[in-house]
Amino acid sequence: MALSFPFSIQPKTFASVPIAPTKSSIRKSSLCLATTAAQPTLKDELELENRKHQLLREIQDTQRGLVTTADQRSSIEEALVSVEGYDAGTSIDLEKLDGTWRLQYTSAPDVLVLLESSVRLPFLQVGQIFQKFECRGQSDGGVVRNVVQWSIQNLLEEQEGATLLVSAKFSIVSKRNIYLQFEEVAVQNIKISEELQALIAPAILPRSFFSLLILQSIRSFKAQVPVTARDPGRQAVGGLYYLSYLDCNMLLGRSAAGGVFVFTKAQPLVLSEQGP
C-alpha cells in the first residue's frame, strides 16, 4: 500500500493546471524529461507534454478521485498508459524522485474510502496530501513520508491545523519497483484556531504563565506510534510500489494493493522533528 491515512479528505478546489504547453515550456522541460533509450526529438518532447497535459485535464474535476464515472476512469487509465509508455523499462532516477510530490488523483480503494468518509464527517477537513521522498545522493533507496494536512472545524486552523505523517524506508527491488517498509505514524504541527486560543487564554485578560504553557504544549505536541514488527516472527508492514513514470514535474505510481496515483512536483515541504 503506497498511501495509508486514517483521515477523510474534504473536497477542495485546487489551482487549475496548464492546458497546453508552449514552445518555451517544451525547451525548459527538456532537461527533466523521463530517461529514454534514445535522445528525444523536439517532436517527441512536444507529444509527451501534450499527453501529460491531457492526463491533467482528465483528472482535474475528479476531486482527487472522489468523484468519477466509469467513462472518466477509463479515459484516465488510457491517458495514464499513454504517458507511462515514454518511461517504460528505464531505471528509477533517485535524483529526480527526491523532493515533495502533491497528490492530484488516485483510484486506490483504501484512499477512496477515506475520501468518501469526508461526506459523512463534514467537521473533519483535510487539505493537501503529499509524498516526500528523501533519496538525494543515494543509490538503492531512501525514506518516503506520506503527509496529510488536516483540521477539525472550529478547533484547529483551516485545512492545515495538524499534520499526519506516515514514514517508511524504501529500497529499490527492480528497475521500477520499490519496497516500502513502514516505520512510524505520527501526528504533529498542531495549530489551534483563534477561537480555541481565546478560550484557553483570552486576549482581553493578562495571559498567565499556565495558559501560555498550555498553548505552547499544544503547538509542540507530537504523538508517535511505531509500526515496525518488533517480533522477529512477524512480517514487517510494507508493500511494493511501482513507479510507472517519473520526470521533474510528474510522478505516476501503481500500488501492488491496487490503484494508481498521480502526483505533481510541489514546493519543498519542511517537516519539524522528522523521524527515521
Side-chain angles (χ1 to χ4, degrees), residues 252-265:
L252 307 181
R254 293 180 181 268
S255 170
V260 300
F261 297 88
V262 177
F263 293 90
T264 54
K265 200 63 177 285

Side-chain angles (χ1 to χ4, degrees), residues 192 200-201 207-221:
I192 62 176
I200 296 173
R207 295 190 172 187
S208 67
F209 171 77
F210 182 68
S211 62
L212 291 174
L213 183 61
I214 293 176
L215 290 175
Q216 182 59 36
S217 297
I218 293 174
R219 290 168 184 154
S220 60
F221 172 80

Side-chain angles (χ1 to χ4, degrees), residues 160-181:
E160 300 179 7
T163 299
L164 175 70
L165 193 64
V166 182
S167 301
K169 288 184 177 179
F170 76 90
S171 56
I172 298 176
V173 296
S174 69
K175 284 186 175 182
R176 307 301 301 176
N177 278 300
I178 63 175
Y179 182 79
L180 305 178
Q181 182 175 330

Side-chain angles (χ1 to χ4, degrees), residues 185-248:
V185 178
V187 177
Q188 61 186 52
N189 299 340
I190 306 295
K191 303 174 186 177
I192 62 176
S193 65
E194 293 183 0
E195 294 86 350
L196 185 55
Q197 289 187 52
L199 182 63
I200 296 173
I204 60 175
L205 298 175
R207 295 190 172 187
S208 67
F209 171 77
F210 182 68
S211 62
L212 291 174
L213 183 61
I214 293 176
L215 290 175
Q216 182 59 36
S217 297
I218 293 174
R219 290 168 184 154
S220 60
F221 172 80
K222 180 178 181 180
Q224 300 169 272
V225 179
V227 293
T228 52
R230 297 185 177 183
D231 185 348
R234 293 182 58 189
Q235 186 176 4
V237 180
L240 285 174
Y241 188 24
Y242 180 69
L243 303 180
S244 58
Y245 180 84
L246 170 66
D247 65 15
C248 284

